[in-house]
Every structure is written in C-alpha cells, then in structure tokens.
C-alpha cells in the first residue's frame, strides 16, 4: 500500500487530498489548493470578453498552448500566462512532491490555505475573471460564474484517502491466534479472515479447494471490508438532482434536468448503473494486464539483481583466468628464452673452440716456420761451398713445402666472429599486439563484407529465401552457380559457431545482369550477354575509358581487371583487340572468380584460368603452373578470343595474327563457326 501513497497526495501541497476536485484534464487537486493557485485576468482580456464578442469559447476550453509560455523541464524557470497576466513574470515554485506550481499574480489571503473564513464555514468567493493552470500537465482553463463549484468533487478519491489513513492508523491482528494475536500478513477475500503466516499455513494451505482463494495484503483487505455503501451523487449544474445518466460523448454523469435543458439532446446517453459496471469491468481488465506487467517487472528486477551477482562472480573468475593465461604465456616465453639462450651459449662455445684450435695449429706452424727460417739464414752464412751444396737442395725443398703449407685458406679464419642467428620476434610481437578476446557467443547477424574482419572466427551459412541452402563454411565470399540472367534473387546469411546458431541477417535482393537475344531474320541464333570491364574489380593502377570498354595500366607490375558479368552456365565467347603493344609485356586473358588476386598475373593463384602471351608464343596458366606452350604471339591490332563452355568444362583461347597491350572488350559475339557445342575439345590454347 505504500506504493499507492503518492497517488493519494495533492501535487500542490504534497499532503493527502482534502476535498479533491476533478479538473477537465482528469487530474485532481485539493479545493483549497486550487483556490491558492488561481490567477486573476484583466477585464479587457478576460475570456468573458471573448465570449461576449462571439468567439464561441466555452468555460472549460483549454487556452491555446501556442499563445502562452508554459513551464516545462526545458524552461528557464520564468514565464507568463499568455495574454492573461499583465504583470512581470514570476518564478515558478515546486510543491513538496516535486511538481512545478505556477504562483498566482496576487498573494492569496493567509486564511485561504486549507482554512475557512472566520465564523462563516465556507471558502471565500473566487475573484472575478480567474483562470486555473493544472500543476501537473500545465493546461490552463478559465472559471465561469460558478468558480470552483463548477468542478466535480472526487468523492471516490476522498473515500480511498480516508480508508487508507484509517488502515495506517493501527496494525491488523490475526483472527485465528488462540492466545496473543500476531500481526496479520494476509487476508483471504473469500474467507474474509486475517491470517498470520503460521495460521495461514495451518488453516489456509495453498492446495485443494483453498488454492483458488485470493490472498491480499491486510491493508487492502481492510479497505475492501470497510468499503462504505454506494453514495448517491448530485449534479454540479443542478444541486437538487441526482446523477442517474451518463453522456457518452461528454464522458460525464448527467441528471434528467441536464437532458431537459437540451445540453445533451443530440448525445448518446446511457444508464449510469450500466456504464458504472461497464467501466468497472474495463478497469479490472486493464488492471489485470497492468498487473501482469508489474509481475514481469518484478521478475525482471530479480533477474537483474541476480545478473549483478553473476557479473561480480564471473568478473573475478574471468580476471583470475586472464591472469593465469597471461602467466602461462610468460612462462612459455621464459622457457623458450632459456632454450634460445642455450643455443646461443653452444654457438658461442663452438666458435671459441674452432678459433682456439686454429690459433694453436697456426702457432705450431709459425714456430716451425720461424725455426726453419733462422736455420736457413745460418746456412747461408756458411763459406764452405761443398758443404753448402750437400744440404742446399734439401733445404730448398723444405722451404717450398713449408711455404705451400701457408697456401690459400690457411691464413683465413675458419669461423666468423659474428653470430649468424637472428631472433625473428616480429610475428610474436604482432601476435601479442593482436592478443584479444574471442567472442564465443552466437552472433546476432553476419555483417557485410566491409565489416567481416570482426567475425572471421565465425562460420557462415548463405540461404536462398525459397529455402534451399547455397553455402555453409568458414569463407566470407562464395559463388552462387546456376543463376538465370535478368532475374531477381533474395538471400540471407546467418552465423554459427560452437555456441550455436545466430539469427538471419536482413534479406538481400540481388539482380542478375540482362541477357540479349541475337537474331537473324525471324530466327534467334543465340542468347548473348553484353558486358564491360568492371571498375569496382579493377586495381587502382588500372585506367578505364571508352565507357569501360578500353583498359590501360599505369604500372609496370601485373594488374587485374574483370568483367561486370559473371557466367555459371551455357557457352560464351568474347574478344579483345590489342590497341597498343611494344613487344615487352606478357598480358594474360581468361576467366576468374570474384576473389582473384588483383596484383599478380592472372592465373598465378587457384582462382583464375588464363592464357598469357608475348610477341612469339603463348602459355596456359593456372595456380602458378604454365603448360600448353603454343607458337604465335600478339601484336598491335591483334584480336584475342576467349570461348567458355560450361556444359563440357572447356576453355579455349584464340589469337588472330599476334597481340597484347591496352585492350578493348567486345562482348555479345556469336560462337565461332569452327566450334560446335557438344564435340569434345581439350582445354588450353588454340592459335
């Protein structure tokens, strides 16, 4: 019941409603508060003056909102009541419950705030030419001669407030406790008994015939039990007449006198009791729907609170997992570091061993050579010719042998001082920089080609909207075969991974290219496809002209450009003329998939089948393998023909005279006379 308390408080004073009246905008306000916020308008600008001039504005018509500055959350806090206030604007105020309230143009008398005039028992009269602004919706309305008495009193709200205040006065006790009654927690509307929790479990179990009983909070049960008998309301227009009918158009209860006055003569009028029951039923139905939403909201709040707990738990767990994974990577890196250091140490020791061995060997040889040299010098000093000649031949041979030992390579280091080891840390650093979380949840949609980098870990499935499946796999590009020319196809994709299958993407509508008929007289010889070079598929170095029929390249590197029409069935033939050729480049012609590499020669990858030629010969190339070498090349003005037969899987190339260079495309050509579809041919180059 505490949630209902705000509904029972006046938006002006913030207290429980006292003598509430219903404004035409359906909001409620205390009678005394309504008097406090009245604004008196000048006589010259009063609505009565407008009515006198025949404007036709009724007493309860809202003022034109476009002609007045009403307060809202975007206002600066200052405003005026349009043409009704001639005094300077006054700052707005806020009631205790936060609703903005417009102050009156003149301070009301102190006794007007929830007080009666002394010794009279009635409220003071309302000033002439007054208007009232609803403190909740800020709609303004003018008062007629009856003043505030013209607004109906909300007796239902007044009764609810009274019952609510009485229910809050004392705590309800259980009616089944034997000794000291405990505080009641529920009330059964069918049994009309208040229960505490122990007595409810003992005397009113939630099973059997009592399962359908409706249990409500005690305060609500007290209100329903203390509901007063229905009071008979009187008409605000005719105080002596009871309200017995209901005007459907005006949506207000009326009396017989109102009907006799002709005010509602053309309106649909129904019995008050019948409309009362009808509206009660409608309100009950609406409350049932709202109750379901409130129940869902409570369950949703429980779900959100559980999510908070789960997020906290999962966050701690995930952080621990992340730290463990990073520590494992660091440990693996340290192990690899130790292994690499061990290799460096071995290389270091090996180099030292080789160099030291060479030093030792060279030192021995040098000592022997030095000794021989010193001995020979002493022999040369000998003056005995016969003695010298006895040993000179042998010494000369020894000197030559020793000199040969110091031949090529003997004075070259066997080992370099540099370490021929370079640590390739680039890929690892790049991997570390790219270290990120893998999204393992099911993708909602598969994005377009421009965004596919974000879903490379997710497989894709392409479906035709008629139901058949076209492709399932990890590739982000696929070719759909068997489509017809000049036809519309609808497709959609969905992503899937180990966690499950995502939702379908939006439907993509694709239009295949047009196909013309080649006729001779009254006969149709063949269906042909006209196409040009496709700028979207061309490498940036490619220059297109002549309505995309002529292509030139600004680069000396290999570049690829494709046609704007794809083939999947039938027999097709097209030609390209060589507009310029200087005998140097080796151009390639052929067919390819849409995802072919654009910066290498056509046929270098497995996505293309091509013939590349020079001024003397040609080769067939596919997947970087060339075969079928054929004599005959290209020159300026030559023509290169390409014939593609899907029915037998045959690809033929034809060269007229010799060719290559900037080329011009000629599509929509008939099949050459020499080729009869159906005969077996070998794929390759034909000159």
């Amino acid at each position: 019941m505490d949630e209902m308390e705000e509904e029972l408080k006046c938006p002006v004073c913030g207290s429980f409603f006292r003598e509430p009246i219903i404004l035409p905008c359906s909001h409620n306000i205390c009678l005394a508060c309504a008097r406090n916020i009245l604004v008196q308008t000048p006589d010259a600008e009063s609505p009565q003056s407008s009515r006198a001039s025949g404007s036709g504005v009724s007493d309860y018509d809202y003022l034109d909102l476009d002609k007045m500055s009403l307060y809202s959350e975007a206002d600066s806090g200052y405003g005026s009541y349009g043409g009704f206030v001639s005094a300077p604007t006054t700052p707005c105020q806020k009631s205790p419950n936060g609703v903005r309230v417009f102050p009156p143009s003149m301070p009301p008398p102190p006794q007007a705030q929830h007080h009666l005039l002394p010794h009279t028992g009635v409220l003071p009269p309302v000033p002439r030419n007054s208007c009232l602004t609803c403190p909740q919706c800020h709609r303004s309305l003018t008062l007629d001669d009856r003043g505030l008495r013209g607004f109906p009193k909300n007796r239902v709200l007044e009764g609810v407030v009274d019952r609510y205040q009485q229910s809050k006065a004392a705590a309800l006790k259980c009616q089944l406790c034997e000794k000291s009654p405990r505080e009641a927690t529920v009330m059964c509307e069918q049994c009309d008994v208040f229960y505490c929790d122990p007595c409810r479990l003992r005397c009113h179990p939630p099973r059997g015939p009592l399962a359908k009983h409706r249990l409500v909070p005690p305060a609500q049960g007290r209100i329903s039990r203390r509901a007063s008998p229905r009071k008979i309301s009187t008409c605000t227009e005719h105080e002596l007449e009871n309200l017995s009918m209901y005007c459907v158009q005006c949506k207000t209860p009326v009396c017989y006198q109102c009907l006799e006055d002709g005010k509602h003569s053309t309106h649909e009028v129904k019995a008050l009791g019948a409309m009362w029951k009808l509206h009660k039923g409608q309100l009950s139905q609406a409350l049932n729907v709202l109750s379901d939403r409130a129940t869902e909201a409570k369950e949703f709040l429980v779900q959100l609170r559980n999510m908070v707990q789960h997020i906290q738990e999962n966050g701690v767990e995930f952080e621990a997992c992340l730290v463990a994974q990073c520590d494992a990577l660091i440990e693996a890196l340290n192990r690899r570091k130790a292994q690499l250091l061990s290799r460096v140490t071995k290389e270091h020791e090996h180099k030292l061993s080789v160099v030291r061995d060479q030093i030792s060997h060279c030192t021995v040889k040098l000592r022997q050579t030095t000794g021989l040299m010193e001995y020979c010098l002493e022999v040369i000093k000998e003056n005995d010719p016969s003695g010298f000649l006895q040993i000179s031949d042998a010494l000369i041979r020894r000197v030559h042998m020793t000199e040969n030992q110091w031949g090529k390579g003997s004075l070259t280091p066997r080992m370099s001082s540099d370490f021929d080891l370079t640590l390739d840390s680039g890929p690892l650093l790049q991997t570390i920089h790219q270290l990120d979380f893998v999204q393992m949840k099911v993708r909602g949609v598969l994005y377009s080609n421009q965004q596919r980098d974000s879903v490379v870990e997710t497989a894709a499935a392409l479906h035709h909207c008629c139901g058949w499946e076209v492709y399932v796999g990890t590739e982000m590009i696929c070719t759909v075969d068997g489509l017809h020319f000049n036809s519309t196809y609808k497709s959609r994709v969905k992503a899937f991974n180990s966690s499950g299958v995502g939702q379908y993407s939006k439907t993509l509508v694709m239009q295949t290219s047009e196909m013309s008929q080649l006729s001779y007289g009254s006969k149709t010889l063949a269906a042909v496809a006209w196409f040009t070079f496709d700028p979207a598929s061309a490498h940036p170095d490619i220059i297109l002209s002549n309505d995309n029929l002529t292509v030139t390249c600004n680069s000396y590197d290999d570049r690829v450009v494709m046609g704007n029409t794809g083939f999947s069935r039938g027999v097709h033939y097209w030609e390209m003329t060589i507009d310029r050729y200087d005998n140097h480049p080796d151009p390639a012609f052929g067919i390819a998939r849409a995802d072919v590499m654009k910066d290498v020669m056509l046929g270098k990858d497995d996505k293309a089948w091509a013939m590349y030629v020079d001024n003397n010969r040609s080769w067939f190339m596919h997947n970087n393998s060339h075969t079928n070498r054929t004599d005959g090349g290209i020159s300026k003005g030559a023509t290169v023909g390409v014939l593609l037969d899907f029915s037998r899987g045959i690809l033929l190339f034809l060269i007229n005279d010799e060719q290559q260079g900037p080329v011009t495309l000629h599509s929509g050509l008939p099949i050459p006379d020499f080729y009869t579809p159906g005969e077996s041919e070998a794929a390759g180059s034909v000159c």
Side-chain angles (χ1 to χ4, degrees), residues 322 325-334 336-337 423-437:
L322 177 62
Q325 287 179 310
C326 292
D327 289 343
L329 292 176
I330 295 173
E331 184 179 354
L333 184 60
N334 287 330
R336 188 58 179 166
K337 173 185 174 182
L423 182 61
D424 186 12
S425 61
L428 179 58
L429 286 175
Q430 183 178 3
T431 303
I432 293 176
H433 293 153
Q434 293 176 349
L435 190 63
D436 204 347
F437 300 108

Side-chain angles (χ1 to χ4, degrees), residues 6 73 107 154 247 307 327 565 579:
E6 292 303 320
E73 294 299 329
N154 195 337
C247 179
M307 283 184 64
D327 289 343
T565 297
D579 300 332

Side-chain angles (χ1 to χ4, degrees), residues 576-589 612-615 633-640 655 658-663:
M576 289 157 284
T577 60
I578 309 302
D579 300 332
R580 189 182 75 246
Y581 186 68
D582 54 10
N583 298 336
H584 291 300
D586 299 336
F589 310 87
Y612 77 95
V613 299
D614 58 17
N615 59 339
I634 59 173
S635 61
K636 179 180 179 181
T639 301
V640 176
I655 300 178
E658 296 177 57
Q659 0 201 305
Q660 224 291 299
V663 298

Side-chain angles (χ1 to χ4, degrees), residues 94-110:
K94 283 191 177 181
S95 66
N97 61 353
V99 178
R100 289 190 175 186
V101 178
F102 293 100
S105 58
M106 295 182 299

Side-chain angles (χ1 to χ4, degrees), residues 400-414:
H400 283 302
M401 289 176 60
T402 304
E403 189 274 332
N404 289 334
Q405 291 178 357
W406 294 101
K408 184 178 180 181
S410 61
L411 297 179
T412 302
R414 298 176 188 173

Side-chain angles (χ1 to χ4, degrees), residues 91-227:
C92 69
Q93 302 171 352
K94 283 191 177 181
S95 66
N97 61 353
V99 178
R100 289 190 175 186
V101 178
F102 293 100
S105 58
M106 295 182 299
Q111 62 269 30
Q113 290 230 355
H114 288 298
H115 294 285
L116 303 176
L117 287 177
H119 312 296
T120 61
V122 296
L123 289 171
V126 175
R128 188 168 175 269
N129 303 329
S130 298
C131 72
L132 178 67
T133 299
C134 175
Q136 289 184 288
C137 65
H138 303 313
R139 292 183 177 179
S140 296
L141 54 139
T142 56
L143 277 64
D144 57 11
D145 294 337
R146 295 174 298 169
L148 296 177
R149 291 184 296 104
F151 300 118
K153 293 183 179 180
N154 195 337
R155 295 187 177 88
V156 174
L157 177 58
E158 192 173 11
V160 171
V161 170
D162 180 58
R163 293 194 298 271
Y164 179 80
Q165 290 179 317
Q166 291 180 12
S167 67
K168 298 286 286 185
L172 298 172
K173 300 297 182 179
C174 176
Q175 295 177 297
L176 297 181
C177 290
E178 296 181 358
K179 296 182 179 180
S180 57
R182 288 181 287 265
E183 186 176 344
T185 56
V186 294
M187 177 221 178
C188 177
E189 289 187 336
Q190 285 73 23
C191 301
D192 195 20
V193 175
F194 290 95
Y195 297 95
C196 63
D197 287 336
C199 293
R200 175 179 58 83
L201 295 175
R202 185 179 72 254
C203 304
H204 200 288
R207 59 184 179 274
L210 301 179
K212 296 183 179 180
H213 285 200
R214 184 166 181 257
L215 301 178
V216 297
Q220 183 177 343
R222 184 172 207 178
I223 289 176
S224 61
R225 176 183 283 190
R226 294 175 56 88

